[in-house]
Amino acid sequence: MPRLPATLLRKASRISPNLRLLLPEVRSLSLAKAELRWLSEHAQSAWDLTSLCLRRGRLHEPLQYLLGSQPFSSLDIAVTPGVLIPRPETEQYTVHLAALLRANLRGSRILDLCTGTGCIALTLAAEAAAEEVVGVDVSPVAVGLARKNMVRNSVPGKVRFVEADIREFNPEEGRFDVVVSNPPYVAEAEWWRSVGGSVRKWEPKLAVVADEEGDEFYGRIQEIAVKAQAKVLLAEVGGMEQAERVRRIWGEGWEGTDIWKDYAGRGRAVVAWRKGAEWMKECPEIWG
Ligand SMILES: C[S@@+](CC[C@H](N)C(=O)[O-])C[C@H]1O[C@@H](n2cnc3c(N)ncnc32)[C@H](O)[C@@H]1O
């Protein structure tokens, strides 16, 4: 990573020593100013603010863990170390999926595999006019946090969180119309090669890394969707190559499959649908 220019560091120090502390992680004056404003609103005292800036700038702690929350669509999601911070790319397709379900499949039962903070499950419960939403995660810390988020956001009592390994989980209560999942999908070697240092240091590897290819969970997610007689299946992926591999894993058994891109034009979600749910193909123009 290139060193920061001394002029930039001096300029930041002149405005505020705390701004200077943030720069090694944030690297732009305007972003540092925004983060300092949020941290100031959160800090209990001047000493606390300096300590938060040090943790951010020197220890590279994610802003969301310091602030304790992350906005996600209409919700305010509590985050803690040990559980993956919800990403804007995930928020983007979740909001779109909620709108499609609200328009085309009201009263649906939804299963969210690998739920983490519960951000996807809770957004769909709040915005998709669903009848019931079940979120599943193997991590007890994640399930505990998802339950807290349900209360924190006063989502109506139609959401449940279950602690289970999806490799063994059976949708024993029968039918789910929609199965959605953001599973771990980074290949083991990529964890060291391309995942950022802050993510490696602070976010759980369990939430990020799958097997050598990164595709470990997609076959199982489809098996669960078939068993649950889902009309619609969506899984997050990390780019076009993985999206094409997932399409091949899911095979010909669906009426159609497609790839939704994110705002950066990267393949971000693979979607599959049964007859009658062709509206899942709808992906806004601005997504490329
Ligand atoms: C990429 S994170 C997604 C979290 C959340 N859905 C989101 O979008 O922010 C993947 C989640 O899968 C969970 N997980 C990992 N292996 C699992 C397994 N075998 N069964 C169930 N959940 C698993 C992790 O604990 C983590 O919360």
Side-chain angles (χ1 to χ4, degrees), residues 90 114-116 119-120 137-139 164-167 182-184 206-207 217:
T90 306
C114 301
T115 198
C119 55
I120 299 174
D137 203 288
V138 74
S139 154
D165 186 327
I166 65 162
R167 288 171 289 212
N182 176 12
L206 173 74
F217 290 100

Side-chain angles (χ1 to χ4, degrees), residues 106-128:
R106 298 176 80 85
S108 59
R109 293 190 75 223
I110 300 174
L111 180 62
D112 173 27
L113 300 169
C114 301
T115 198
T117 56
C119 55
I120 299 174
L122 292 167
T123 301
L124 295 178
E127 298 177 16

Side-chain angles (χ1 to χ4, degrees), residues 72 82-87 90-91 93-94 112-121 136-140 142-143 162-169 180-185 204-209 216-217 236:
F72 193 92
V83 184
L84 192 94
I85 298 164
R87 301 297 202 264
T90 306
E91 181 184 10
Y93 69 71
T94 303
D112 173 27
L113 300 169
C114 301
T115 198
T117 56
C119 55
I120 299 174
V136 180
D137 203 288
V138 74
S139 154
V143 170
V162 177
E163 186 186 321
D165 186 327
I166 65 162
R167 288 171 289 212
E168 284 144 26
F169 173 78
V180 57
S181 182
N182 176 12
Y185 57 71
K205 193 176 176 194
L206 173 74
V208 178
V209 173
E216 181 182 356
F217 290 100
E236 181 168 324

Side-chain angles (χ1 to χ4, degrees), residues 16 62 242:
S16 150
Q242 188 167 44

Side-chain angles (χ1 to χ4, degrees), residues 46-79:
W47 184 89
D48 188 28
L49 179 60
T50 300
S51 150
L52 289 170
C53 292
L54 274 169
R55 285 164 64 189
R56 180 83 182 115
R58 297 247 172 99
L59 304 180
H60 309 287
E61 201 165 335
L63 180 74
Q64 294 88 341
Y65 287 156
L66 295 173
L67 296 176
S69 69
Q70 166 69 27
F72 193 92
S73 190
S74 57
L75 308 182
D76 181 44
I77 297 292
V79 295

